[in-house]
Amino acid sequence: MERFDYYIPTRILFGRGQLNRLSRQVLPGKKALIVTSGGTSVKKFGYLQRLEEQLDKASVEHRLFDKILPNPIREHVMEGARTARENGCDFVIGLGGGSSIDAAKAIAVMAVNEGDYWDYVSGGSGKGLPVPNDPLPVVAITTTAGTGTEADPWTVTTKTDTNEKIGFGYDKTFPVLSIVDSELMMSVPAHLTAYQGFDALFHSTEGYLNKTANAMSDIYALKAIELIGRSLAAAVRNGDDAAARDDVALANTLSGMVESTSGCTSEHSLEHALSAFHPNLPHGAGLIMISREYYTHFAGCPACAERMTAMARALGKTDASRPTDFVEALAALQQACGVGGLKMSDYGIKPEDLEKYEANARETMGGLFEVDPVPLSRDDSLAILKNSYR
């Protein structure tokens, strides 16, 4: 009988209007540091004000740290942690997309631990030290559907001076409470809806192909793939399509559960290298750029044939009978979402640097190559990057 470990300790409030229930929850502290991005959307659309009103109703004090970048950086993690300590905050709320919630988790670690965040990161120049003190509790309120970080322990941060973009997380960095309210996602522009939706898709496809996949992760992965195949293009075409937004939001949360029970493969390592050197490249866009060549490679591996065919059926190609059907379904969905023509060159990526990015992927997040369904050689991964280049 198959054996697996299962641990997802997060309470999730899912559905439209769930933000309005925050004040009635048992919150993990009395003074929150609200972590959000340096952009304007959470303020412009009233999400921050609504959160603050809910905290006021619950008699919870709050301070704001609103500097997080689309690709969070170590400097802001350290600054946010200082802000939490100096203000006596006893829990952290991540409000926004994956970057804000990821940063909230990292800030929660450093608010109660000495040294530098990179002391605890494994990979690259990270020291991989054990975390001495438990992080502050984290509440996640997601306004996008992309990373699934509301249902997993992971956080991704960039060390800018060395171009290292590395994931970190362990059991104590799961959010204690997450709110997934699709009403907060209606304002996401079409192109970002697409980028984020494909990020969620690839969390599930990578988790399904991953050597660590198991019965539980398979259930979550196939359902997430199905929901994205059914509704992502509709959400991109019409951001006010509430049913489509609900489907993509649920797919995203399920993809976070895939991350918690299985995990990513080398596709994410390769993209992290691209956006580490080019932080203006949205993570989901980078994944889209390399995805067709990445999955074409594995479609040629007999060991992946059955699972790739199952993914094709889940994505909507119900008559799929061969692994390349998944690549065809993927390309069709990207065209339907208007992202089939994304180019690396539009973000300053040069072909002569691809070998450097391939090496960086292995140096910083080489562990993800170890869980690929079949070994991916350096020549293989470099060929994927070269064949993806436009």
Side-chain angles (χ1 to χ4, degrees), residues 298-299 301-310 322-323:
F298 285 107
C301 302
C304 300
E306 183 178 344
R307 287 194 164 243
M308 289 202 64
T309 305
R322 54 198 174 96

Side-chain angles (χ1 to χ4, degrees), residues 139-152:
V139 173
I141 304 173
T142 181
T143 62
T144 67
T147 67
T149 190
E150 70 272 12
D152 70 41

Side-chain angles (χ1 to χ4, degrees), residues 55-334:
L55 294 175
D56 290 342
K57 285 183 180 179
S59 299
V60 170
E61 294 183 63
H62 43 88
R63 295 291 181 271
L64 179 64
F65 184 76
D66 58 353
K67 296 185 178 182
I68 304 305
L69 299 173
N71 284 301
I73 61 174
R74 182 190 62 86
E75 291 89 340
H76 287 159
V77 169
M78 298 303 297
E79 184 180 351
R82 285 194 301 272
T83 302
R85 285 195 302 271
E86 290 168 359
N87 287 279
C89 297
D90 55 4
F91 73 109
V92 182
I93 300 176
L95 171 68
S99 56
S100 296
I101 298 171
D102 277 16
K105 296 175 184 177
I107 287 169
V109 171
M110 294 313 302
V112 290
N113 285 287
E114 299 296 325
D116 187 89
Y117 179 63
W118 231 246
D119 294 341
Y120 307 111
V121 169
S122 297
S125 63
K127 297 179 181 178
L129 298 177
V131 181
N133 303 313
D134 288 353
L136 297 179
V138 173
V139 173
I141 304 173
T142 181
T143 62
T144 67
T147 67
T149 190
E150 70 272 12
D152 70 41
W154 309 117
T155 173
V156 177
T157 307
T158 299
K159 189 170 184 284
T160 54
D161 57 327
T162 54
N163 298 114
E164 296 174 284
K165 184 178 178 181
I166 301 180
F168 168 81
Y170 66 121
D171 283 356
K172 299 294 179 67
T173 49
F174 272 100
V176 298
L177 172 66
S178 291
I179 292 179
V180 185
D181 182 342
S182 63
E183 288 180 355
L184 310 182
M185 303 172 187
M186 299 290 189
S187 57
V188 179
H191 68 290
L192 294 181
T193 298
Y195 298 166
Q196 294 155 8
F198 277 100
D199 187 15
L201 174 65
F202 297 136
H203 287 159
S204 291
T205 55
E206 292 175 45
Y208 190 66
L209 293 177
N210 197 303
K211 281 163 57 174
T212 66
N214 58 70
M216 296 304 296
S217 64
D218 285 355
I219 292 168
Y220 294 138
L222 289 174
K223 187 62 178 179
I225 295 167
E226 175 193 331
L227 290 167
I228 288 170
R230 182 171 77 195
S231 294
L232 179 58
V236 170
R237 286 193 302 268
N238 177 12
D240 293 327
D241 185 333
R245 290 286 193 188
D246 288 345
D247 275 357
V248 178
L250 180 56
N252 181 55
T253 298
L254 292 174
S255 78
M257 294 177 176
V258 176
E259 288 287 278
S260 299
T261 51
S262 177
C264 286
T265 61
S266 57
E267 183 182 21
H268 263 69
S269 299
L270 292 169
E271 196 296 315
H272 281 180
L274 297 177
S275 51
F277 283 89
H278 300 273
N280 62 322
L281 172 63
H283 173 56
L287 288 170
I288 291 166
M289 291 172 186
I290 64 175
S291 62
R292 294 188 294 280
E293 292 297 333
Y294 185 85
Y295 289 100
T296 296
H297 174 86
F298 285 107
C301 302
C304 300
E306 183 178 344
R307 287 194 164 243
M308 289 202 64
T309 305
M311 292 195 310
R313 295 190 190 111
L315 198 58
K317 196 174 179 63
T318 55
D319 60 346
S321 59
R322 54 198 174 96
T324 52
D325 284 334
F326 174 74
V327 180
E328 293 176 8
L330 176 64
L333 182 60
Q334 290 175 356

